[in-house]
Amino acid sequence: MSYFSLRKLTKAYASQTALHEFSLDLGKGEMIAVVGESGSGKSSLLRIAAGLLTQSSGEVWLGDTRILNPKEKLVAGYDEIKLIHQDYQLSPSTTIEENIARPLLLFDPGYRKARVEKLLMQFGLDRYRDRLPRNLSGGQQQKVAIAQALAVEPEVLLLDEPFSHLDTIQKHRLIFELKELLQESGTTVIFVTHDLDDALRLTDTILILQKGKVVQKGNSRELCLHPKTRYVARLFSPINLIPGRFDSYIRPADVRLRTKGELLGHVVDQRFLVHYNSLLVRLKDGGDVWEVDDPFRKYQVGDRVYLHFDEEKVLVLKG
Ligand code: ADP
Ligand code: MG
């Protein structure tokens, strides 16, 4: 059943349309990620969803309440819907505990204390409670920001690229922890990011946004194996155009390297990556450069190599 409902949201700025008839229905406690390149309309979408930006048309509903936009409401925004973004600021001169308690200042002191204790424990922040934000790592600070947003038990949490300034290790750990916490609390979540990998780690369902329009929706497997467009396919990996077949592509990991065959090329660059070498191979006919994986680290710059692929791995893509 639909609980948080975005209905045909359109946002036109003076020079361009950032969002075009975007619709999404989420059940209570459902989590979804919206992935799109920079400028695809993600932040506009979340700000409208939070009641912080006025849409050109369309409606936002939470249960049977229509979310009013800033033109309709004196104080923009709702306690039920919390938006967290990358540059979210904690109060620098108060402790972690006080930061988390801040949204609860008007609440009953007994309730406030119990709620803050619970969040400190849940988020593993208990031992940092007396520290100032600057004495925590970026990942921990972002965790405090999310704990603070959850203090008032919002129904909906909107995450706008909240992990972008964290290093990979911090980020993966935080996503892993958050996934469990948010599922436990039954919060309805929309997570937007330009990073498909982050999205795959946090949610099962992903919606791909391009220039303000939804181009595909599905789980990671469907999107990876059956991308509809080049844009969607490229979010997962580079793709190589097959010579003479203008809409057919193959991924680097699906190319096998042999000493005999038909599609000949020369290795023009080689990179040592964690699990394989990545090669750039210039094809003999046509001159295109392919990116391919060399899992056995066999080939060097200058080597001749024949490229093979299974027809079933070929992606036929639009646009
Ligand atoms: P994203 O978060 O995916 O990068 P945004 O929603 O921030 O996308 O922006 C979508 C498009 O709308 C961009 O091309 C951006 O330049 C434009 N845009 C965003 N905010 C404004 C604004 N206040 N005025 C004019 N154009 C804007
Ligand atoms: Mg943005």
Side-chain angles (χ1 to χ4, degrees), residues 14 23 30 39 73 75 86 107 109 116 131 136 166 179 186 209 273:
S23 293
E30 203 177 332
K73 193 167 178 284
V75 181
Q86 181 185 344
F107 286 56
V116 171
R131 289 204 198 169
L136 296 187
L166 304 181
K179 188 170 178 169
L209 194 65
L273 302 182

Side-chain angles (χ1 to χ4, degrees), residues 99-303:
N99 264 283
I100 295 176
R102 202 161 54 135
L104 300 170
L105 288 182
L106 299 177
F107 286 56
D108 167 70
Y111 171 81
R112 180 167 71 228
K113 191 159 189 320
R115 181 77 190 129
V116 171
E117 286 308 315
K118 185 167 180 202
L119 286 163
L120 286 169
M121 297 311 285
Q122 274 183 330
F123 277 76
L125 291 166
D126 183 41
R127 61 204 173 103
Y128 309 115
R129 64 198 302 148
D130 297 324
R131 289 204 198 169
L132 296 177
R134 66 166 177 275
N135 296 325
L136 296 187
S137 72
Q140 288 166 332
Q141 288 183 38
Q142 200 57 291
K143 214 153 82 165
V144 175
I146 293 170
Q148 189 197 64
L150 292 179
V152 294
E153 303 190 65
E155 302 293 334
V156 178
L157 185 64
L158 305 172
L159 298 168
D160 190 349
E161 315 225 24
F163 314 125
S164 298
H165 62 328
L166 304 181
D167 66 53
T168 311
I169 294 173
Q170 284 186 10
K171 187 166 76 172
H172 289 176
R173 189 180 299 151
L174 178 58
I175 292 177
F176 189 71
E177 291 177 7
L178 266 185
K179 188 170 178 169
E180 206 171 280
L181 282 168
L182 294 171
Q183 277 165 352
E184 264 174 33
S185 63
T187 314
T188 305
V189 180
I190 304 178
F191 168 48
V192 310
T193 177
H194 65 276
D195 189 325
L196 180 72
D197 184 66
D198 289 359
L200 297 174
R201 284 170 193 274
L202 190 67
T203 68
D204 296 324
T205 311
I206 291 168
L207 203 148
I208 311 285
L209 194 65
Q210 183 180 19
K211 294 187 180 139
K213 290 184 190 166
V214 177
V215 287
Q216 198 169 350
K217 180 179 177 180
N219 63 34
S220 48
R221 193 184 158 78
E222 289 157 6
L223 292 173
C224 182
L225 297 180
H226 308 289
K228 284 188 187 154
T229 66
R230 281 194 301 171
Y231 178 83
V232 177
R234 278 213 184 102
L235 292 170
F236 286 85
S237 78
I239 49 175
N240 300 305
L241 178 64
I242 299 171
R245 294 169 60 177
F246 80 104
D247 59 356
S248 298
Y249 298 83
I250 190 88
R251 292 192 193 280
D254 293 330
V255 179
R256 279 169 292 112
L257 309 177
R258 297 279 187 271
T259 48
K260 288 188 189 135
E262 284 171 10
L263 193 56
L264 173 64
H266 284 89
V267 179
V268 293
D269 196 15
Q270 181 226 54
R271 290 273 171 272
F272 188 99
L273 302 182
V274 178
H275 298 293
Y276 56 90
N277 282 0
S278 173
L279 306 181
L280 293 184
V281 175
R282 184 176 296 284
L283 303 188
K284 183 164 172 287
D285 303 312
D288 270 1
V289 173
W290 275 25
E291 189 167 334
V292 302
D293 295 355
D294 174 11
F296 303 109
R297 308 189 194 276
K298 257 174 67 179
Y299 292 89
Q300 309 292 328
V301 171
D303 284 352

